[in-house]
């Protein structure tokens, strides 16, 4: 599962923010100094307009351009009232919030174990952020443009940060823990599975309760009442995060564009903003790997991260990132409504436009945007490409961990490196190509088709780059058999024993029972008949699979090719609509990507992963998380899904190119198109 560019490119919010912000960089450099309804006035250059106009514009709103809180505007703070200071402040806030957004995906394997849920359910959990986002993104981009943007961003950042902290506190609603010290007598301290250690051992008569856990409090499913409540609460906090992040991209970009004295410098500041934000997903996966190595209960344990029962401190990252985000939200409240040095003078129509007028104009603007066929086709194409990005963000680490049998921290590290390198380099390369060759819409579509075709070819290699299924002794449907060992005398009743792979020599056994183990010390099972009376440790045997690094390399090239198409695709979007509808076009793009990619994407990929499951964990007779996947089936289905999404993108881009060429051949359409997009051409 991989990204196309870079919810997330990669991260949902990360991916969309990169697209939208980079696109605005391009669009802002080509805006006219004064549009039909706006006049840009530099209060430091009195030659632009007469003194009377300057006095009425600059002096009357002096209080709106001073840094401070309320009526207090300390002189020492005025030095920070600059576009650069705002860019750094909002960039740091976006970095932290982006880290929270992507961090959940780095802990998805642990969450499935903690809450005993399948990948489809975890996919729904990952989609909650975008459910909240799409419910408000169109309205915030349309109705909050004239508000006090820094304070709106400060409030939204604060809400996002606090909801992130609350996400981490879900752990304490039903704390999970790990075994601490297990002696030969079998004493174990484990709040989640006390006494179950003996169910893995060899016995002449099996335990009837091996397969089904004891249901406490009349629970009818794998989730107890506390766990169910914690899971619902976690989903609610993710929805709140989606609501809070919707103003960030459109409002911060517009504030910067309206504050610079020379609009040619807008690209510089927005480029710095997106560069800072790009480190969010990489930081999330990298630190997610660190937190994955910390025990979930922060207590010493005899388990290691390689043990299938290991649970990392998934909740700790939410609290840390959320706490830091609260700090980054504070400076935003002290920035003025506008930066000194430039002011936007609205036309009489804009000044007198009421809220009802804005509501009436909303559907008209929306209709003008969707009535542009090239825009619509390109928008759908980007949404389809984003499905692959959603797959990488949501389950990329889980895929690496499952297929290549590596610990969670290592898979998170790989994904973090891929995201960081491909996002920055791919976005820069795409922007350089578009700017250097002065590509029009036809040229941009050709770049898109070429990069998508290259990405599709590279992705085909991943049909081969993956590990085969290991041979596991004792793996049979229902696992209902009595194990007879080589001497023909010793037997073990392994009826309904739980799946806990152990390695003896080069052979992986279904459980310590199937290896003939009769006792346990800490995490080591001893007295194992298959090991000549020796001991074994829970883990899969090394398979000698050589495809991990080839897979990482091909995925990086695949993601780089997709990332290169970001700016060309975005330029096609903004050049296909009129100047006055660009804000709506950006909002509709974000809405479309959420609806068609980052909400259904994780659910679809989660369902695909579930269809490859061989062994399920059960609780109270109900199916929970998957314990063992068919690796070959998983590799084929995930790679095939990525190729299907990319192929649809290529087809839609080709149709858009043919349609554009056909329209340009007609003189009347060509002239009309030039008049609509003249201000958007570079």
């Amino acid at each position: 599962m991989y990204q196309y560019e870079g919810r997330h490119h990669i991260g949902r919010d990360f991916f969309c923010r990169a697209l939208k912000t980079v696109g605005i960089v391009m669009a802002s450099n080509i805006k006219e100094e004064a549009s039909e309804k706006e006049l840009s006035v530099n209060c430091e250059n009195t030659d632009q307009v007469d003194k009377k106009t300057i006095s009425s514009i600059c002096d009357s709103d002096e209080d709106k351009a001073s840094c401070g809180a309320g009526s207090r505007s300390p002189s020492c703070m005025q030095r920070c009232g600059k576009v650069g200071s705002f860019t750094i402040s909002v960039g740091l806030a976006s970095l932290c919030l982006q880290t929270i957004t992507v961090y959940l995906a780095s802990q998805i394997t642990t969450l499935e174990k903690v809450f005993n849920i399948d990948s489809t359910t975890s996919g729904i959990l990952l989609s909650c952020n975008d459910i909240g986002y799409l419910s408000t993104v169109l309205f915030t981009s349309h109705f909050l443009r004239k508000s006090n943007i820094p304070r709106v961003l400060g409030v939204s950042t604060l809400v996002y940060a606090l909801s992130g902290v609350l996400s981490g506190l879900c752990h304490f609603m039903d704390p999970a823990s790990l075994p601490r010290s297990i002696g030969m007598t079998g004493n174990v301290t484990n709040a989640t599975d006390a006494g179950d250690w003996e169910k893995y051992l060899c016995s002449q008569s099996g335990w009837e309760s091996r397969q089904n856990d004891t249901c406490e409090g009349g629970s009818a499913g794998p989730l107890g009442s506390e766990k169910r409540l914690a899971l619902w609460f976690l989903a609610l906090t993710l929805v709140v995060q989606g609501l809070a992040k919707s103003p960030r991209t459109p409002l911060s970009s517009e504030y910067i564009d309206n504050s610079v004295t020379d609009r040619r410098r807008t690209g510089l500041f927005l480029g710095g903003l997106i560069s800072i934000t790009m480190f969010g997903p990489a930081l999330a996966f990298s630190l997610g790997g660190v937190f994955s190595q910390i025990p979930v209960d922060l207590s010493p344990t005899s388990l290691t991260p390689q043990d299938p029962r290991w649970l990392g401190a998934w909740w700790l990252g939410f609290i840390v990132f959320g706490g830091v985000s609260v700090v980054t939200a504070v400076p935003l409240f002290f920035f003025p409504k506008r930066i000194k040095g430039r002011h936007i003078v609205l036309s009489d129509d804009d000044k007198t436009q009421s809220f009802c007028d804005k509501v009436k104009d909303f559907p008209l603007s929306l209709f003008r945007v969707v009535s542009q066929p090239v825009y619509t086709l390109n928008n759908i194409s980007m949404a389809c490409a984003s499905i692959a990005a959603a797959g990488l963000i949501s389950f990329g680490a889980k895929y690496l961990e499952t297929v290549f049998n590596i610990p969670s921290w290592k898979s998170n590290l790989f994904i973090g490196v891929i995201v960081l390198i491909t996002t920055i380099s791919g976005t820069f390369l795409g922007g350089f190509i578009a700017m250097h060759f002065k590509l029009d819409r036809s040229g941009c579509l050709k770049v898109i088709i070429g990069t998508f075709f290259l990405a599709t070819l590279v992705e085909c290699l991943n049909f081969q780059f993956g590990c085969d299924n290991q041979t596991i002794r004792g793996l049979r449907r229902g696992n209902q058999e009595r194990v007879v060992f080589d001497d023909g005398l010793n037997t073990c009743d392994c009826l309904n024993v739980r799946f806990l792979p152990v390695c003896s020599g080069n052979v992986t056994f279904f459980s310590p029972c199937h290896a003939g183990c009769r006792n346990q010390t800490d995490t080591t099972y001893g007295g194992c008949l298959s090991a000549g009376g020796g001991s074994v440790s829970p883990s899969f045997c090394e398979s000698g699979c050589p495809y991990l690094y080839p897979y990482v390399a091909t995925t990086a090239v695949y993601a780089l090719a997709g990332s290169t198409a970001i700016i060309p695709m975005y330029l096609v979007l903004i050049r296909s609509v009129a100047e006055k509808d660009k804000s709506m076009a950006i909002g509709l793009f974000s809405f479309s990507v959420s609806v068609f990619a980052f909400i259904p994407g994780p659910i679809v990929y989660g369902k695909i992963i579930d269809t490859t499951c061989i062994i399920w964990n059960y609780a109270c007779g109900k199916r929970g998380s998957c314990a063992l996947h068919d690796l070959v089936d998983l590799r084929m289905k995930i790679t095939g899904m990525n190729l299907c999404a990319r192929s649809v993108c290529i087809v839609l881009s080709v149709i858009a190119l043919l349609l554009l060429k056909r329209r340009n051949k007609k003189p009347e359409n060509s002239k009309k198109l030039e008049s609509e997009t003249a201000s958007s051409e570079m």
Side-chain angles (χ1 to χ4, degrees), residues 182-193:
I182 304 174
M184 294 296 293
T185 60
N187 295 327
V188 56
T189 302
N190 186 352
T192 60
D193 216 14

Side-chain angles (χ1 to χ4, degrees), residues 40-49 53-62 65 260-261 338-345:
S40 175
V41 177
N42 188 341
C43 294
E44 296 176 357
N45 185 358
T46 59
D47 294 333
Q48 294 186 60
V49 293
T53 303
I54 294 174
S55 178
S56 62
I57 292 174
C58 300
D59 296 337
S60 61
D61 291 336
E62 185 68 22
V260 293
T261 55
R338 65 176 181 83
I339 299 293
K340 287 184 178 181
R342 185 169 177 266
H343 189 62
I344 300 300
V345 183

Side-chain angles (χ1 to χ4, degrees), residues 103-104 106-111 113-115 164 167-172 175-178 284 286-299 301 304-305 309-321 408-409 412:
Y103 175 75
L104 177 67
S106 72
Q107 304 299 313
I108 202 65
T109 303
T110 299
L111 288 172
K113 294 179 182 179
V114 169
F115 294 107
S167 298
L169 295 180
C170 292
H171 163 74
F172 298 96
S177 60
L178 294 175
S286 299
L287 294 183
V290 174
F291 292 125
S292 296
Q293 299 184 72
I294 302 175
V296 66
D297 53 0
L298 305 183
S299 300
T301 178
T304 64
R309 297 165 295 178
W310 175 265
L311 298 175
W314 64 272
W315 54 274
L316 190 58
F318 283 111
I319 295 179
V320 172
F321 296 139
S408 178
W409 67 267
N412 283 321

Side-chain angles (χ1 to χ4, degrees), residues 100 158-172 233-234 237 241 314-326:
I100 298 176
L158 191 60
V159 172
Y160 202 117
L162 293 177
S163 63
V165 174
L166 292 176
S167 298
L169 295 180
C170 292
H171 163 74
F172 298 96
F233 188 77
L234 177 60
T237 60
Q241 291 175 27
W314 64 272
W315 54 274
L316 190 58
F318 283 111
I319 295 179
V320 172
F321 296 139
V324 175
S325 298
V326 171

Side-chain angles (χ1 to χ4, degrees), residues 321-604:
F321 296 139
V324 175
S325 298
V326 171
V327 177
T328 62
V330 174
L332 296 175
F333 288 97
F334 296 97
F335 281 95
K337 185 175 182 179
R338 65 176 181 83
I339 299 293
K340 287 184 178 181
R342 185 169 177 266
H343 189 62
I344 300 300
V345 183
L346 300 179
S347 66
D348 293 336
D349 292 337
D350 280 344
K351 289 180 179 179
T352 59
Q353 189 179 33
S354 64
F355 179 78
C356 292
D357 294 331
K358 294 180 180 179
V359 173
K360 292 178 181 179
D361 184 61
F362 181 82
L364 296 177
S365 178
L366 183 62
F367 176 77
R368 289 193 298 267
V369 170
V370 298
S371 62
Q372 298 295 328
V374 176
Y375 170 88
T376 302
L377 287 171
N378 196 54
N379 198 8
I380 298 174
S381 176
M382 295 177 77
C384 292
S386 301
I387 294 178
L392 177 63
I393 297 170
S394 303
F395 295 105
K398 177 181 174 67
Y399 181 86
L400 282 173
E401 183 179 351
T402 301
V403 173
F404 297 100
N405 190 29
I406 59 177
S408 178
W409 67 267
K410 193 173 184 179
S411 64
N412 283 321
L413 179 62
F414 278 126
I415 296 298
V417 172
I418 292 175
V419 171
L420 180 63
I421 295 177
T422 60
T423 297
I424 296 178
S425 56
T427 303
F428 174 81
L429 179 60
F432 175 78
I433 293 174
M435 296 288 289
H436 181 74
F437 295 100
K438 296 180 173 60
L439 298 179
D440 57 8
R441 288 193 296 174
S442 297
C444 289
L445 285 171
K446 291 177 182 178
V447 172
I448 294 169
I449 295 171
T451 54
F452 281 178
F453 184 74
L454 174 61
T456 302
L457 292 179
V458 174
E459 175 67 10
C460 291
L461 296 175
N462 287 334
F463 279 119
Q464 174 64 31
F465 292 161
C467 301
D468 294 329
N469 294 310
Q470 287 196 33
T471 300
I472 301 177
R473 283 195 188 177
L475 179 59
R476 297 180 181 179
R477 176 173 288 275
N479 192 33
Q480 298 177 353
E481 85 280 357
R482 180 174 291 275
V483 179
V484 180
F485 293 91
D486 295 338
D487 57 10
L489 301 176
N490 292 293
T491 62
C492 290
D493 183 3
C494 298
L495 176 65
N496 288 334
V497 69
R498 295 179 181 180
F499 179 67
L500 180 63
V502 294
C503 181
S504 176
N506 293 322
V507 180
T508 301
F509 290 87
F510 186 92
S511 71
C513 177
H514 291 79
C517 303
R518 301 181 181 276
N519 57 65
Q520 180 183 10
T521 304
D522 288 335
T523 59
T524 301
Y525 292 89
C528 303
L529 298 175
S530 63
S535 60
V536 296
S537 298
S539 66
F540 285 95
C541 294
E542 291 292 335
S543 63
C545 178
Y547 294 120
L548 174 59
Y549 291 101
Y551 172 84
V552 172
T554 56
T555 302
V557 174
Y558 168 85
L560 178 63
S563 298
T564 305
I566 294 176
I567 292 181
M569 292 183 77
Y570 201 91
L571 289 176
V572 174
L573 282 180
I574 64 176
R575 291 176 178 178
S576 299
V577 298
E579 178 75 18
K580 61 182 178 180
D581 293 324
K582 285 183 179 179
S583 179
M584 176 58 70
I586 294 171
L588 181 60
F589 158 72
S590 302
F591 183 86
S592 301
V593 170
S594 294
V595 171
F596 299 111
F598 286 101
I599 287 180
I603 300 175
V604 170

